[in-house]
């Protein structure tokens, strides 16, 4: 499908959604390069990358484009996750595609990957469904009582204390921190947990 037709199809879906969606303008130079590389056949992902600076959904989900929510910059930072990151949310969750194109979600409360859908199309479909979107994030939002999402700067996310991956029976405190910082902490904890799991396996094997 051509770039124009693919982007028009996606814009139509977004504009007909009951979600509060903002399509950000692309970086003109990056957009031109992507359009030149794409030829006449654009996938939904390629059209979003070339035609938008990113997409904000309910001030919670940020789908990457080539601008404010930059696909290329974010994937440089998230290369250790081992997949192609295509979106993030203010809670520290990351959506990404594996080598087969399957969509996964890094859960910020468990710091583990779960399969989310067959492909990138499912991310767009889900982001347009207000009921599914609200249901998915209901538990996370309960942990962030008092947070007004549309007041969070686009380059920041929500840091909770204790963090989501630690059990807590009391109210957590919330603060807006640079998104890069939030994700860096998550990756560091994931590495530590992975290392501890490997040590446990080695110890058990030795016994």
């Amino acid at each position: 499908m051509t770039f124009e037709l693919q982007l028009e199809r996606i814009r139509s879906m977004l504009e007909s959604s009951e979600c509060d969606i903002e399509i950000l303008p692309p970086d003109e130079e990056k957009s031109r390069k992507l359009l030149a590389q794409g030829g006449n056949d654009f996938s939904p992902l390629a059209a979003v990358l070339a035609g938008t600076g990113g997409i904000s959904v309910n001030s919670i989900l940020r789908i990457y484009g080539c601008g404010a929510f930059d696909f290329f910059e974010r994937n440089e930072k998230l290369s250790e996750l081992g997949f192609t990151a295509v979106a993030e949310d203010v809670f520290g969750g990351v959506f990404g595609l594996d080598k087969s194109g399957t969509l996964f979600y890094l859960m910020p409360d468990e710091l583990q990957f779960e399969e989310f859908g067959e492909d990138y199309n499912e991310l767009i479909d889900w982001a347009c469904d207000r009921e599914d979107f609200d249901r998915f994030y209901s538990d996370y939002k309960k942990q962030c009582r008092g947070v007004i999402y549309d007041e969070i700067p686009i380059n920041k996310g929500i840091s909770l204390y204790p963090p989501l991956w630690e059990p807590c029976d009391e109210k957590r405190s919330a603060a807006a921190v640079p998104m890069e910082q939030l994700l860096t902490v998550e990756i560091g904890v994931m590495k530590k947990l992975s290392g501890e799991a490997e040590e446990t396996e080695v110890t058990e094997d030795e016994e």
Side-chain angles (χ1 to χ4, degrees):
M1 189 179 293
T2 66
F3 166 72
E4 290 81 6
L5 288 175
Q6 191 71 266
L7 187 62
E8 181 181 353
R9 182 186 71 84
I10 293 171
R11 279 184 174 275
S12 178
M13 291 174 59
L14 297 172
E15 290 169 359
S16 63
S17 170
E18 293 183 2
C19 292
D20 181 11
I21 295 179
E22 180 182 6
I23 302 174
L24 302 174
D27 178 289
E28 293 185 3
E29 183 177 350
K30 289 181 179 179
S31 180
R32 283 195 297 270
K33 289 181 180 179
L34 290 169
L35 288 172
Q37 295 169 2
N40 294 317
D41 188 15
F42 277 75
S43 66
L45 172 58
V48 170
L49 294 185
T52 80
I55 301 166
S56 172
V57 183
N58 296 330
S59 299
I60 290 177
L61 177 68
R62 298 152 176 179
I63 299 174
Y64 299 152
C66 66
F69 304 141
D70 196 90
F71 170 87
F72 304 98
E73 292 178 4
R74 186 59 82 213
N75 274 281
E76 286 183 9
K77 306 293 184 182
L78 297 176
S79 59
E80 293 177 89
L81 293 179
F83 65 9
T84 301
V86 293
E88 67 191 31
D89 56 49
V90 295
F91 306 109
V94 182
F95 293 87
L97 304 172
D98 69 4
K99 292 181 180 179
S100 69
T102 302
L103 183 67
F104 282 84
Y105 179 62
L106 170 61
M107 299 178 286
D109 53 345
E110 297 186 19
L111 298 183
Q112 295 180 353
F113 297 97
E114 68 171 1
E115 187 171 334
F116 191 85
E118 291 186 0
D119 54 27
Y120 183 81
N121 285 317
E122 290 203 32
L123 175 65
I124 301 298
D125 290 340
W126 168 76
C128 292
D129 189 318
R130 185 68 192 238
E131 185 176 342
D132 282 352
F133 189 95
D134 288 344
R135 185 186 305 113
F136 182 82
Y137 282 118
S138 62
D139 287 341
Y140 294 135
K141 292 173 76 172
K142 287 178 183 177
Q143 302 292 334
C144 302
R145 293 183 178 88
V147 172
I148 302 175
Y149 298 97
D150 59 10
E151 292 185 358
I152 300 173
I154 63 173
N155 64 337
K156 292 189 175 183
I158 302 171
S159 175
L160 293 173
Y161 185 81
L164 282 170
W165 56 84
E166 292 185 6
C168 178
D169 296 328
E170 300 178 359
K171 182 179 179 180
R172 303 175 194 266
S173 61
V177 301
M179 196 69 201
E180 183 177 337
Q181 176 184 326
L182 179 60
L183 295 174
T184 297
V185 170
E186 288 184 359
I187 291 173
V189 174
M190 288 175 69
K191 283 182 175 180
K192 181 179 179 181
L193 293 175
S194 176
E196 290 176 352
E198 289 177 0
E199 288 180 8
T200 300
E201 289 179 3
V202 170
T203 302
E204 291 176 348
D205 289 343
E206 291 175 349
E207 292 176 352

